[in-house]
Amino acid sequence: MSTEDEPDEVVDAELVPGDSHLPVIRHQTPLVPDADPDAWLPPEAAQDVADGIAQATRDAYELHFTQFAKWCAMEGRRHLPAAGDSVTAYVSHLTRTPREKTGKPYSPSTLDSVIAAIRTVHRDRKLPVPETKGARQVVTGYRERLALAKDAASRPNKASPAKRDVLRRAVRTLDRTTLAGRRDAALMLLGHACATRGGELVHLDIESLTPDDEGRGFTARLYRRKLKKWQDVGVFYDEDEELCPVRATYDLIDALELEGHTTGPLFLRMDRWGYLAPPMQREGKTIGDPTGRMTAEAASDIVERAMARAGQPGRWRSHSLRRGFVNSAREAGVDIVDIGRHGGWADGSKALIGYIEEADAFSDSNPLAQINEAERRKRGAHDQH
């Protein structure tokens, strides 16, 4: 659904207006039967394939395809296997259909996800994948119309970067004598230091941290979800105690130990009074993580609230910490390769390159800055003569 390094947030997949009144889709026999007798999977293998796709992605794709199927039924079109013209017509329809929540049509990035969902469902069911060149051209034209109209929907909805100076203002709003304040400080400072995605950050356990033998900090063992591999990230003591992720994390661990929590999730749910929250119940059933582990959405809420208290304008999410790390590192002159490997980006990541370009906009690497510096040197040499 998302590109290599977009925030771990599902696109707003709200149903189009009136969708609750659309007709029920009845089973349709595929028009192209599978001719290969070996083209089938046992249930456990099919589940293994499904497990390789993020749940948020599966949910979004399922919703997108369900809406496509309902639209096809209303239009008298076949949804399996779909014709390329049906996909094109549907995407064109969405560019003109305001959503109930926002009063505006889907953004171009969400329409890209819709097309991907339709193609994925066809592949999964071993049906001919419809031609989507026309649908993608619709999105291209739509994106350009929005851009020329200076519509914000034409731009990716990125989280604002939480650089060190911004992070400082945010953590200063916290009462770090309380358990909640210690948690929030550790979450923001450690998330920045490790350049984590929200889902990576909240899945840290107390046991994930190993003190460095030479007293320089600790190693955080993170599962980098996009790369599908574990990474040991070295986290150093910061020269600035206010922004030190190691001190903040140890302060949190000490506070959790007083509450009898010495193993398991590092970042836990708390109630509005700052106490560790008990398991949540709904209709007699436990909901949420029974261990009390926070969600990525809750981590984003913490960042958003702290930035609001600090009066920082922008769109603040847990991913702001990851983007802010890139800005902070570039301001310190760190090489892009070292930034990428520390933060778990694949070598050559387009997403990272985009972040670097933004961070370098007013740095010494900007060609205009280099031209100005060259002119200053010329004038200096001329004045000496």
Side-chain angles (χ1 to χ4, degrees):
M1 177 185 66
S2 59
T3 55
E4 184 271 326
D5 225 354
E6 291 176 336
D8 290 341
E9 299 170 14
V10 181
V11 293
D12 185 2
E14 183 185 346
L15 309 187
V16 294
D19 49 31
S20 60
H21 303 295
L22 292 175
V24 175
I25 300 302
R26 294 178 174 79
H27 176 73
Q28 291 186 6
T29 303
L31 300 185
V32 183
D34 198 329
D36 187 348
D38 288 334
W40 63 279
L41 290 174
E44 62 273 17
Q47 185 60 51
D48 289 341
V49 172
D51 290 343
I53 304 172
Q55 184 61 49
T57 301
R58 294 201 300 269
D59 291 346
Y61 278 9
E62 181 178 349
L63 186 144
H64 285 321
F65 189 78
T66 297
Q67 289 310 301
F68 171 65
K70 289 180 178 180
W71 177 85
C72 285
M74 291 180 62
E75 296 294 316
R77 291 175 179 262
R78 185 184 68 245
H79 71 285
L80 280 176
D85 285 347
S86 293
V87 182
T88 301
Y90 178 61
V91 172
S92 177
H93 160 76
L94 292 181
T95 67
R96 295 172 173 82
T97 305
R99 290 182 296 152
E100 202 169 307
K101 181 178 180 180
T102 64
K104 294 183 178 182
Y106 281 128
S107 68
S109 60
T110 301
L111 295 182
D112 286 335
S113 181
V114 169
I115 295 170
I118 294 170
R119 292 177 60 87
T120 297
V121 168
H122 279 75
R123 281 196 298 268
D124 288 349
R125 301 190 186 187
K126 295 183 172 57
L127 294 172
V129 177
E131 171 60 57
T132 54
K133 181 178 180 180
R136 295 188 185 282
Q137 288 175 335
V138 169
V139 176
T140 298
Y142 178 51
R143 182 178 278 112
E144 183 171 61
R145 290 197 303 275
L146 293 174
L148 293 175
K150 296 182 174 59
D151 193 311
S154 66
R155 299 187 297 272
N157 196 18
K158 294 181 179 179
S160 303
K163 301 190 295 183
R164 283 173 66 89
D165 57 339
V166 174
L167 203 55
R168 186 190 311 280
R169 289 192 281 272
V171 297
R172 281 180 176 173
T173 69
L174 304 174
D175 181 358
R176 294 169 74 167
T177 65
T178 66
L179 180 58
R182 291 185 178 191
R183 178 199 63 182
D184 295 357
L187 183 143
M188 288 193 286
L189 295 176
L190 188 57
H192 180 274
C194 295
T196 61
R197 301 172 180 88
E200 297 168 351
L201 180 60
V202 298
H203 276 87
L204 279 171
D205 291 331
I206 294 173
E207 300 92 322
S208 303
L209 310 178
T210 304
D212 174 60
D213 292 339
E214 299 181 25
R216 295 169 296 184
F218 56 67
T219 297
R221 187 158 180 78
L222 289 160
Y223 183 66
R224 295 297 191 184
R225 298 179 64 184
K226 297 288 185 178
L227 297 182
K228 300 293 188 293
K229 70 177 184 180
W230 289 93
Q231 180 187 8
D232 292 327
V233 180
V235 182
F236 284 76
Y237 281 97
D238 198 293
E239 292 295 323
D240 187 333
E241 291 191 14
E242 191 174 27
L243 295 180
C244 181
V246 178
R247 294 182 179 89
T249 302
Y250 282 150
D251 284 348
L252 171 61
I253 291 174
D254 289 343
L256 289 173
E257 185 175 1
L258 294 176
E259 299 290 329
H261 183 81
T262 57
T263 61
L266 178 62
F267 299 113
L268 294 165
R269 295 193 309 268
M270 296 182 191
D271 61 23
R272 58 180 174 173
W273 296 282
Y275 296 105
L276 294 182
M280 297 182 293
Q281 300 282 326
R282 180 179 296 161
E283 297 179 356
K285 296 181 180 180
T286 300
I287 61 174
D289 192 312
T291 66
R293 188 186 303 275
M294 289 175 54
T295 63
E297 291 76 13
S300 287
D301 290 342
I302 286 173
V303 176
E304 186 176 31
R305 287 196 298 266
M307 293 299 178
R309 288 193 299 267
Q312 289 293 137
R315 181 177 184 270
W316 302 104
R317 312 296 296 161
S318 59
H319 208 78
S320 297
L321 307 173
R322 181 167 171 81
R323 292 197 63 205
F325 166 80
V326 175
N327 287 59
S328 299
R330 285 303 282 177
E331 288 180 359
V334 181
D335 183 80
I336 183 173
V337 173
D338 294 329
I339 292 174
R341 291 179 180 172
H342 179 89
W345 280 278
D347 289 349
S349 163
K350 292 182 179 179
L352 176 58
I353 291 172
Y355 292 167
I356 293 292
E357 289 173 347
E358 292 175 5
D360 285 353
F362 283 92
S363 72
D364 292 340
S365 63
N366 184 310
L368 294 177
Q370 296 181 45
I371 290 171
N372 286 336
E373 178 59 30
E375 289 298 318
R376 281 192 290 270
R377 288 196 299 268
K378 285 181 183 179
R379 286 197 299 270
H382 182 270
D383 293 343
Q384 291 178 359
H385 291 85

